[in-house]
Each structure stands twice: as structure tokens, then as C-alpha cells.
Amino acid sequence: MDARLLTAGCVDDLVLLEEVGEAAVVANLEALFKKGRIYTGLGPVVISVNPFKPIDGLYSVGLRNKYQTRHRHELPPHVFAVADTALKASHAGGACSRQCILVSGESGAGKTEAAKRLLEYIAATSSSSGGGATASRSPIHEKLLGSNPLLEAFGNAKTVRNDNSSRFGKYMTVELSPSGGIVGGRVTNYLLEKPRVLTPASGDSRSFRERSFHVFYYLIAGASDAERKALRLAPAGGYAMLQRSGCATVRGLDDAREYGAMRSAMAAAMAAVGLAEETQSAILRLVSAVLWLGNVAFAASGSGEVGPRDAAAREALEHAAPLLGVDVATLTKSLTHRTISTGLGERITSPLAAEECAATRDALARALYARGFDHLVLLLNQCIAPGGPSSASIGILDIYGFESNSFEQLCINFANEKLQQCFISLTLRAEQEVYAREGIEWSPVQFFDNLVVCKLIEGARPPGVLAFADEETIMPKGTDESLLSKLEARLSGHGHFRVEKAAGGALRGDFTIVHYAGEVSYSCRGLLEKNRDTLFRDLGARPATAGAQFKAQMAALVDTISACEPHYIRCIKPNDDKAAGKFVTERVRYLGLVENVRVRRAGFAYRASFERFAGRYRVVSASTFPRSASRTMVFLRSPRDLLALEEAREQRLHVVAQMLQGGLRRFVARKRLAKLKTESQKLFNGQKRRRGSWVLQWSGDYVGAAQNATVAKLLSRHGDGGVLFASTVVKVNRAAKSQERILLVTARALYTLKPGSWAQTNRVPLAALSGLSMSTFADGFVVVSVNAAECDRDADLVLSSPQKAELVTVLKDAVSRLGRPEPLAISFADTLEFRSGKGGLLARGTECRTINFYEDTSLGSKARAAVLNADRARLRELRELQVRIPPALASNAALQLAATA
Ligand SMILES: Nc1ncnc2c1ncn2[C@@H]1O[C@H](COP(=O)(O)OP(=O)(O)OP(=O)(O)O)[C@@H](O)[C@H]1O
Ligand SMILES: [Mg+2]
């Protein structure tokens, strides 16, 4: 899960494919998908293939931590990697502090899931950066994450393509404080699919497989008895608009449970902004009123007057009116009459025909619901509004996918065209900028620029589809048919547009636009009505048409995105059946992926900063890498080169792993020793004239004892742990003879070992040590005093070590860690006492002997070593050891520290 895949034919980044063709791209995606790898890179873009089933560990905390702590290049592509890149870029500050992540793909491709994972990552990782590692999530994180169930209840629905299809566009920004913590957020919503409120008209083949917005079903399934009463809810099955759907329940979706989740999200959000229970129930009353409005049918009476058709219709009005806070007569009249202002300031009210009444009712229901949704977003925004200054932000765009047929879908597909524009201009621009900055030559690649399709839809001069629709909408005699004729006359010559005709040449009633993602046909039926927004027909001032409003929203969105550094996730739906693990190659084939790979590959398959490149592949070669013509980056034209490098790196890695283990050990030891060195300076400084040996590197283990198998066995037999110090020393034995030994110190004992065989000659528990004494000269002698009561050893140790300061410091530190009350006594004198072993050369009468240190100028100014008197006759005579110190190690030596003692 956390290792990169870079084998030929199965690379986790499409840019590294040997061969760039549709078949190769699709085969590679499929190979990864079959391994449970749903994420694939396309350079910095992450492609996500919907698995339609949970994948173990894919969003685990452990994996999240890896993406947080390791470099993106070391880990396979993942939505976490995208979120992390955006977060890190936002922390970089400056002009880069505005980031956006654009999630695209058709309906059911996994956009909303991806957006949730992105938000989760940002919430989880920025809470720790803001409030310390132990800080629990602050309420703002909860509120941001909690906004999802609420928005989904009101804005999502079961469709043919997706059981939880987002029927609105959403752009959520997370505002970050200078320290990287979340301070708040904001949701911008785009064009809710209003007609869905009333579900597809009966007779529509989709009606049996699609539902209205979730909240209607949630409410009916989950409301308590008290709520049912207050909201005037009819029993399930009592609503015409819900009855029209053939799938009032959805497998795997528990409406009642979802209602509970939605209510608690609502309660949490509303409470946070101090909005009472009343606001929540007002929203639910609106939902109930819309349900009742759906039951109001109209018919003309015998006198020709149009009114509620029957008792059921009247009952519906009687419920809807109080829920909306109006009286029944007012509501009835507003649905059955039209008021027009004349030019002379008069208002004329005229009755409507039965179908017109139904259209007005539908428009009212849709508008009420859509406004309720807008209001909900407004309340949520109050709830998550930034509570402090923000210096950076990350936006996540979860826009709708491509759909076919209606006016809403034209708007949605237009939104996708606009985003594709952003994608093209931002990625190509970015690409070219890199090449220019690095001084690299490249020839631009041909790609389809969809600007031409954007203009076809939104153009003003020459007018595009929306402009013609607006023109026709305000014409008193404008109809869907007249619009279609106009489109035919004015746009037929356009390469991306055609009006569909029947065999005889008559217009069929729909037109086709060739979008960047394929051809889509749109029906003209009802288009003008939707564009006009019937509800406002009564108003004097003409409101902006729906198309114009959407165009303005898209322009604002494009402005926002253009001011951000973009990151992309492209979601792919691998089959049409929502089937787990099924990959239908035909479905994936045309997604413009190949083109994208080509654009990215036009120059170089792989690019990385020189440091990063060298960092990853340094292990492969001992010599330095040649730099390319580039200034700061390494570019590889052929993916094969990268794969070869990866293979070589893989082979080297096990060797490197061993090196690393050793390196880590040394690093830990060095850190420990560096600390000890500071203590050593305190210990010796001012106490003793000696060489400043602490300017030398302390390395603890000078003889490789830690890697020796005999030593390992020995230490484990005693349960002694690791080597703290090991070095060659000279030990003075009881016969006053010098012997070479390895002195080894662990956390529990001190050993002497025979060089070569590593055989143990002594083991003294550190607990038995009572003191260390040294001369005031810069010699290497140390007397290690042993408490005989603590061990079976009857003599002290007399040693000479080239790392005396280090040895003494390590011993003192290790003894202090044993937890015994008195520290190891350290003393300095030029006459030291020690206990010699019984029967030794010096052991006549008493075991207590002395070592005398004195400066001997006869050794000459060049001598650097202290000399132990080895004259046996003299030894017997004096009954003491003598150490002659050369002038270089004595008081006047340049290398010495001044003695203040
Ligand atoms: N990463 C994933 N892991 C497991 N299942 C997933 C994943 N992504 C999506 N799905 C499944 O696919 C379903 C559809 O995904 P999602 O709702 O995110 O699609 P969408 O692209 O937002 O579609 P729409 O445009 O209709 O809103 C989810 O409800 C879930 O069951
Ligand atoms: Mg969605």
C-alpha cells in the first residue's frame, strides 16, 4: 500500500509508461486496479478509479502519517498526497498560499468520496500542527466535517448513475492560520438541480430508478411522532411526488438512520451559531410543505373556474399553507392567478388554466426548496466562519459530472468545460514555465483546446447557445421551437454544434454539442421556462435568467481558481453497474488521458530537483551524477532510464539497509556521546591539566565490538545490552606487567577482553565500582576502584586508555543511571592509591599500593607517551608504580588546559 510500483507495464505514474497509447494507458490502469491500486499518477495529477468497495487500510491513520512525514516522491499516488502537497504549499506562504484542489469526473466516479478524504486529511493533520500533538480536534474541524452529511441530505439523491449523487456543485475553502491550524471555512454552492424536487415526471423511464433529494425520504422514514405531528407529515405513501419514483427505498441506504445523522449534524451546526430549534424546524417545515404542494392537483369546475381538483388537493393546501406561514386562500390564489403590471402602473390579475396552475405550483415547490438549500448553506457558513485571521487557504471543488439531456445538464457540462479550460491553461502554462525557467528546449504538443466549446455555450459576441436562449426567453412570442430554429439558423455551421433532424429533415426538438468529453444531446423542451424562472413572472423588474446567473457564477469560480495554485484529482468510473472491482476497458478509453500523458511527456517523462534526484539515486553510483542543461532540475526523457535507475536502486537497497542500521546506531551513539562530552568538560575543566581531548570526535565503539558475534553472545549471556564504549587499553596486571586488552563498557558491566579472540578476562558489574582516579597530567592512566564486597574481585584495575576522558565520562554516566544513591567518585592526584591482587609483585605485606606520576624532562620535548616504570628491581625496592610524564603532557605543554586547582 505504501510502496511505489515502477515495474514495466505496471507503473503508478502514467508519465513513466514506455509506450503512450490508449491501449497501454488503459492496460496499465487496469493492472494497477486489479492489484487494489485505485490511484495512479499523471505527473502531479492523481487519477482515482472508483473501486465501489472499501479497500482495507487505504485511509488508515498509519498511512496518513506516512503521507504527512515522507516526501511525495517516495510514496505511491494518493488523495492524501494531493492534500499534503496543497497543505505544504499553503504553509510556504506568499503568493502560493491560496491552493485549490479540483476534483473532476463523471457522475459516480468518486468525486465526493475523494473530496471527503481530502477534507479529512486536512482536518486531521492541521489540527495537530495548530494545537500540538496531543490536542484533540477542535470544534471547527468537527463543524467542517459535519457539514457534509447535512449538505448531502439536502443536495444529493439516488440517480441511475449513483445512489448518492451530488445534485449541486460545491466549492469548500478551508482557511488556515499563520501557524497552519484551521480557523474556519466557507462553502459556495452552485446550481442545485431544482427539477429533481418533483422527481422525473411519470412516464419518464428514469422515474423508476431515481429519487428526489434524500431529505424527503429521510424525514418520512425517521421523524419522531412529535415531529410528525408538528410537521404535519402524512404516512409514507401519502405523497404523489414520491410515489412517482419506483424506488422509494434504496438498497444499502437506511433512510431512518440517515435522518438521525442529518438531525444531529443540523443540531450541532445550528447550535454553534446560536440558532434555536426553531430554525431547524423551519427548514423541516419547508421540506414538508414542498411534499404537500406535490399533492395539489388542479381542475376546472363546471363554471370554468380553475381550483383544487378534489378533497385530497384541498387537504394538501390546508397542510402546506400553515407550514409556509400563509393562509390557505392566499396560497390558492397565488397558484391559480397571474398578476401583471401594466405600463400605466395598474396591476391586472387574471386566472390561469389548469396546466398553468400546475406549472406555477411546480415552480413554487422548486424555488422554495432551492432557496431553502441556499439558506442552509448560509447558516452553515455562519457556523464555520473563520474565528481568527487566516493567511492561507485550500479550496476543494467537487463539481458535478457530465450528464445528458436537460437545461441543467447543459449548465453542468458547461461548468466542466470551464474547468477543463482551467486545467489546460494552468497545466500547460505551468509546464512551459518550468521549461523556460530551466532553460530547456521543447516543442509544443498538439492538444485539443476546448475554448471553442466554451465560446459556443457562453459567447456574447458572436452569441452562443445561452445568449440565444436569453434572447428568446424575453421575446413575447419566444418558444422552445423558435429557439431551436434560431440555433439551427445561427449555429449550424459550428464544428461542435448540430440540431438533430428526423429523416424528412424536420427538427426533432433537440440539439447536440460536441464537448471535450464527448457528444451530448440536449432537449429544447421546457428550456425557455427553466431559463425564465416562472416564479418571478409577477415581478415588474425582469430578473437575470437562470443561464445568465449560472454564467456569472462560473465566471466567479474561474476567477477564484485562477488566483490559486491548482492541484488535480481526476475520478474515473470503471463500470456502469456500480459493481465492485469491475474494470470495463471501453469505459476508461476515452477520457483525454492519453492526450494528457502526451502533453506531459512532450518534454520529459520525469523531472525532479537535482537534490531530490541525487537523494534518491545516490546509492546507485559512487560517482557524481552529471547535471543536465537545466539549472536546478534533472529531466529524463525516457521512462526506461528511470525504471533502470529504480531497479538499480532496489538492488542496492538491501546493502544500504544494513549500512543504514549501522548508521542509525552510530547516530544514536554520537548523540549520546555529544551530550556526555559536554558533561565531561564540566568534569575535567579546571580540575586538571590535560589535553583537550573533547575536541576530538567521540565514537564510543572504537573496535567494532558492537558488530562482533562473540561479543554479542557474551553480552546476551549476561543480559547486558548494547556496547557503550569499547577500545584497546593497556592494563597493568598484578605483576606490574602491561597487557593489551579491549575494555568494553555496557550499561551494567565493565569487561576486559583478549584482543583477537575477544575472550573475556574480567567482568566487573558497574554497581561494584567505587571510584575513578587519575593524575593531573595529560596521561591516559585511570585507576578503577572496585568495592570488593560487591564482587568477587580483590583488586582495582589500573588502565591506560587513549580515550581516557570519554571512558571516565561514560562510566560515570552509566553508574549514575543505575539508580544507586552515591555517584561514582572522581579524583585527581599525582599519587594514587590502589589495591593490588594478592600474591602479586607488589603485594608483600599490604595490598594497598601507590602509583606516582612525575614529569621527566629526560624523555625529550618530542615524546608524547607517559612511560610506566618497568625496571623490576626498582619496583621491588620502591614498592610503587612510577609513571614518567614527558614535558608535552605536563604543565607547560601547549596542548594543556591551564590548571586552576
Ligand atoms: N475511494 C472509494 N472507495 C470505495 N468506494 C468508493 C470510493 N469512491 C467512491 N466510492 C463508491 O462510489 C459511490 C459514488 O461515489 P461519489 O458519490 O463520490 O461519486 P461522485 O463522483 O461524487 O458522483 P456524482 O457526480 O453523482 O455526485 C460512493 O457512494 C461509494 O459507494
Ligand atoms: Mg458527488
Side-chain angles (χ1 to χ4, degrees), residues 685-697:
N685 205 9
Q687 297 281 342
K688 179 161 165 59
R689 295 163 292 159
R690 52 166 288 117
R691 261 186 302 180
S693 75
W694 45 81
V695 299
L696 303 172
Q697 178 87 41

Side-chain angles (χ1 to χ4, degrees), residues 50-53 59 106-113 162 164-166:
N50 190 347
F52 286 108
K53 63 172 181 202
Y59 307 108
E106 65 185 305
S107 179
K111 297 180 296 294
T112 301
E113 285 292 326
N162 181 357
N164 182 33
S165 185
S166 317

Side-chain angles (χ1 to χ4, degrees), residues 279-295:
T279 311
Q280 301 175 41
S281 57
I283 291 171
L284 296 178
R285 278 205 301 277
L286 186 102
V287 174
S288 174
V290 170
L291 281 167
W292 281 119
L293 276 180
N295 280 6

Side-chain angles (χ1 to χ4, degrees), residues 98 519 729 781 801:
R98 302 218 149 261
E519 294 193 356
V729 297
F781 282 89
S801 161

